[in-house]
Amino acid sequence: MTNFYLYNQKVCTRLYLFGHDLRQLLLANNWQESELAQADYIFINSCSFLKTTEDYFITKIKELDQQKSAQQKIVVFGCLPHTALERLQQNFSGEIITTRELSALAMALGLEQVATNIGYTVPRQLRFRDRINKLLNTYLIKDAYLGFLSGELAYYLNISRGCLGNCSYCSEKTARGKLKSHSISDIKIAFESGLRQHFRLFSLNADDVGVFGWDNQENIAILLTELLSFSENFKLILTEFNPWGLAKYRTELLPLLTSTKIAHITIPLQSGSDRILKLMDRPYSASDILAIIKTIKSKHPTLVINTHLIVGFPGEQAEDFQTTLKLIESGLFDKVKIFKYSDHEKVASYLLPDKVPLPIIDSRFRQLRSAILKQSLRRLNLRNILLNLPLYLK
C-alpha cells in the first residue's frame, strides 16, 4: 500500500476543495493517508495569489524537499506550476503537475478515475479567536455568516471553476483555466444531498460566481431561483461574485439577493476609482455597482456584504485613493479585505508606469483599516467588528 501526506493549507477555498478531491482520488485507489515521516508521496497544494504567498510556498517546498528521505517523492500542484513554473523549477527538482482537472490528475498519477464532486463537507480546526466568536455569536449576535466563519459546518457547492476576466494584476488566470460550469440539475442534486444530511448553511464556490453558466446557456440568476424555491430553512453564502455578473443580471438578481435566505455575498470592487478600474481591466463603473448594492442593502439590511480592495495599484493618485476611502465611509460594506498591490513580472500591470512607493501603500492601507474600524464602532456593530478582526490584527 502506498502512503501519502497532503499539505493543503494557506490556499483559497477553491484550491482547498481541489486538494480534497485529490485526497479522495488517492483513497479510492487504495492509497493511505499518513504522517509526513511515513509518507511515500508528499503532495503540496500551492497558491500564488500574492507575491508574499508565492514566496511562502517556494520556501515551504524547499524546506520539505530538504527534510524528506531519499525514498520519498514530492509532488507540487495547484497555482504555482502555472504562475511561477520557472522559479519553481529553479528551486525544486521533483514532480510538478500543471492541471486542475481531476481526470487529468488521475491520468498523470496512473490512477483509476473517480467522479468529480460538487458537494463537500470540510472539517475545520478552530483557532482560539474562532471559539470566542462562536460563543458571542451563539448567545448574542446570532448571525449566519459569522457562525460560518466561527466554525459552523457548511455544505460547500463547487458550482464552477475558471473565469472570464482579464484583470491586469491577476497572475492566476492561467491556473484557473477556461470557465467550466456544472449543470444546474447536478448542483440541485448535490444541494438536496446536503439538505438530507441536515445541513442548513450552504456555500456556493467558484472562481467567479457571477459568470456561472455563461458556458452552457445557464446563469447565476436561474441557479439562485431554483435553490431559493426549496422550502427548507437554510442560508446561502455567495463567494467571489464579481461586479460584471451583478451588473448583467441586475433585474433578475435584485429580488433574489434580497431574500433572507441569502446570508452573505462577496462583491470584490477592488477600487472606488473608475480610472483605476480601467487600468485594472475591470469593466464596470464603481458608482453603478454601488447603486445596485445600495438597493440590495436597503431591502435586506442584515445581509453581510463583503468587498475586496487593492491599495497602491500603479498610477493610484491621492484623489483615486480618496474615492476608494469613500467606499468604506459609505457604510455599505460589512466586511472588507484590503490587499497591498503585489507586483508580478508575468502580469500586465507590471508594465504600467507610476508605481506607488511602498511607504505610501502602507500609509493608505492603515487609513483604510482605520476607516473600517471607525465605521463599525460608530454604528456599535459588534458583528462587523468581529468580521473585520483579522484586518485589525494585521
Side-chain angles (χ1 to χ4, degrees):
M1 181 175 291
T2 305
N3 292 338
F4 73 94
Y5 173 84
L6 174 62
Y7 186 84
N8 198 26
Q9 303 171 35
K10 297 186 180 294
V11 294
C12 68
T13 301
R14 281 93 63 204
L15 268 180
Y16 183 86
L17 295 179
F18 184 57
H20 182 74
D21 282 339
L22 172 62
R23 175 185 285 113
Q24 297 306 113
L25 172 67
L26 297 173
L27 293 174
N29 279 268
N30 298 314
W31 290 38
Q32 180 173 316
E33 190 162 13
S34 69
E35 295 297 324
L36 178 63
Q38 286 75 48
D40 300 299
Y41 282 83
I42 301 167
F43 290 91
I44 304 174
N45 196 0
S46 63
C47 175
S48 58
F49 176 62
L50 299 171
K51 185 64 166 57
T52 52
T53 314
E54 178 184 310
D55 293 343
Y56 169 83
F57 274 99
I58 290 292
T59 301
K60 187 67 179 180
I61 291 164
K62 289 171 65 177
E63 175 187 300
L64 290 175
D65 198 27
Q66 292 167 0
Q67 291 176 359
K68 74 176 181 64
S69 68
Q71 291 74 37
Q72 290 179 307
K73 297 180 180 179
I74 293 182
V75 180
V76 176
F77 67 105
C79 284
L80 211 56
H82 297 268
T83 60
L85 181 59
E86 291 180 9
R87 186 182 180 196
L88 182 58
Q89 290 172 331
Q90 289 168 2
N91 290 276
F92 171 67
S93 59
E95 188 168 354
I96 298 170
I97 294 180
T98 59
T99 181
R100 277 181 65 182
E101 288 277 1
L102 190 62
S103 58
L105 189 58
M107 188 177 299
L109 295 171
L111 302 175
E112 293 290 327
Q113 303 281 351
V114 297
T116 302
N117 288 326
I118 296 178
Y120 300 77
T121 57
V122 180
R124 296 167 61 186
Q125 291 184 339
L126 297 186
R127 297 162 296 183
F128 177 74
R129 184 175 74 227
D130 298 323
R131 295 190 182 97
I132 297 298
N133 288 353
K134 186 174 183 179
L135 285 172
L136 289 171
N137 193 54
T138 300
Y139 296 106
L140 184 61
I141 304 172
K142 301 180 180 179
D143 178 79
Y145 181 63
L146 185 56
F148 167 70
L149 293 182
S150 304
E152 182 180 341
L153 284 179
Y155 199 71
Y156 291 80
L157 295 170
N158 222 7
I159 63 173
S160 68
R161 67 170 180 80
C163 73
L164 298 176
N166 289 294
C167 302
S168 64
Y169 55 82
C170 182
S171 65
E172 295 188 312
K173 183 173 176 61
T174 54
R176 293 171 178 175
K178 294 180 179 179
L179 178 65
K180 187 173 182 179
S181 306
H182 289 290
S183 69
I184 289 177
S185 58
D186 285 345
I187 295 170
K188 285 176 64 179
I189 291 171
F191 181 73
E192 289 175 310
S193 174
L195 288 174
R196 286 194 300 273
Q197 295 174 62
H198 305 292
F199 283 93
R200 291 299 179 264
L201 191 58
F202 294 82
S203 177
L204 271 58
N205 290 273
D207 292 307
D208 184 355
V209 168
V211 300
F212 162 80
W214 290 20
D215 56 324
N216 61 9
Q217 288 74 56
E218 296 181 330
N219 62 63
I220 187 61
I222 300 172
L223 174 60
L224 289 178
T225 299
E226 293 289 331
L227 296 183
L228 292 173
S229 68
F230 284 83
S231 60
E232 286 85 353
N233 182 25
F234 62 86
K235 299 286 187 181
L236 295 179
I237 293 167
L238 309 181
T239 65
E240 304 303 326
F241 203 125
N242 270 299
W244 37 79
L246 188 64
K248 182 172 182 175
Y249 297 110
R250 73 179 73 195
T251 303
E252 298 92 334
L253 285 170
L254 279 174
L256 299 169
L257 296 179
T258 54
S259 165
T260 55
K261 288 186 174 182
I262 308 291
H264 166 270
I265 182 171
T266 293
I267 305 171
L269 276 173
Q270 306 301 5
S271 177
S273 165
D274 286 346
R275 191 180 72 84
I276 295 299
L277 289 174
K278 187 175 181 179
L279 290 173
M280 290 178 170
D281 283 335
R282 291 182 65 83
Y284 54 86
S285 159
S287 59
D288 187 32
I289 302 303
L290 284 173
I292 298 172
I293 293 172
K294 189 173 183 179
T295 301
I296 295 169
K297 197 73 169 176
S298 68
K299 297 182 179 180
H300 187 356
T302 61
L303 173 65
V304 175
I305 301 180
N306 174 28
T307 196
H308 299 168
L309 298 172
I310 296 174
V311 63
F313 190 82
E316 183 185 72
Q317 302 296 324
E319 55 267 30
D320 300 308
F321 173 71
Q322 288 301 319
T323 307
T324 298
L325 187 59
K326 287 177 182 177
L327 289 182
I328 306 300
E329 294 170 345
S330 72
L332 290 174
F333 299 103
D334 304 281
K335 182 182 177 185
V336 182
K337 283 188 177 180
I338 308 171
F339 300 97
K340 298 176 185 179
Y341 173 73
S342 179
D343 220 7
H344 196 292
E345 59 272 12
K346 289 193 175 181
V347 301
S349 61
Y350 182 77
L351 300 176
L352 290 175
D354 303 321
K355 298 292 172 65
V356 181
L358 184 57
I360 294 178
I361 293 178
D362 290 340
S363 173
R364 291 175 181 174
F365 176 90
R366 290 192 296 271
Q367 289 180 67
L368 288 177
R369 182 176 60 183
S370 176
I372 295 164
L373 178 58
K374 286 178 182 177
Q375 275 292 318
S376 299
L377 291 174
R378 189 179 296 124
R379 296 155 70 186
L380 298 177
N381 194 321
L382 179 58
R383 180 193 70 177
N384 288 7
I385 291 172
L386 295 176
L387 287 174
N388 290 290
L389 192 58
L391 180 63
Y392 307 147
L393 296 176
K394 273 192 177 183

